[in-house]
Amino acid sequence: VRLVVSDDGRGFDPTLVPDGHLGLAGMRSRAERLGGTLTVTASPGKGTVVEVLVPDAVPAEVEVREA
């Protein structure tokens, strides 16, 4: 499964995200729990692309809850 979210907004420098801002860390953690990856491509003034890749099969130890 591949999810891509992109915009052409202000962008940001992902290496300068201060401690205590857990949005990207939380997304990365969730992707990794599913055996996937999170990639963020961004730069000031050039927008942002967030891509999550998750394998079709969820690891057995992950509890999947339905909403």
Side-chain angles (χ1 to χ4, degrees), residues 24-42:
L24 292 175
M27 288 191 293
R28 179 168 280 111
S29 174
R30 286 176 178 88
E32 289 173 354
R33 280 188 63 213
L34 296 172
T37 59
L38 172 81
T39 304
V40 178
T41 306

Side-chain angles (χ1 to χ4, degrees), residues 2 6 10-11 14 25 31 35 46 52 59 66:
R2 178 176 182 240
S6 63
R10 297 184 328 189
K46 298 192 177 182
V52 179
E66 294 189 29

Side-chain angles (χ1 to χ4, degrees), residues 2-24:
R2 178 176 182 240
L3 169 71
V4 177
V5 178
S6 63
D7 70 26
D8 59 357
R10 297 184 328 189
F12 66 101
D13 183 342
T15 65
L16 298 178
V17 175
D19 290 339
H21 290 259
L22 301 177
L24 292 175

Side-chain angles (χ1 to χ4, degrees), residues 40-55:
V40 178
T41 306
S43 60
K46 298 192 177 182
T48 302
V49 177
V50 177
E51 179 179 35
V52 179
L53 293 173
V54 177

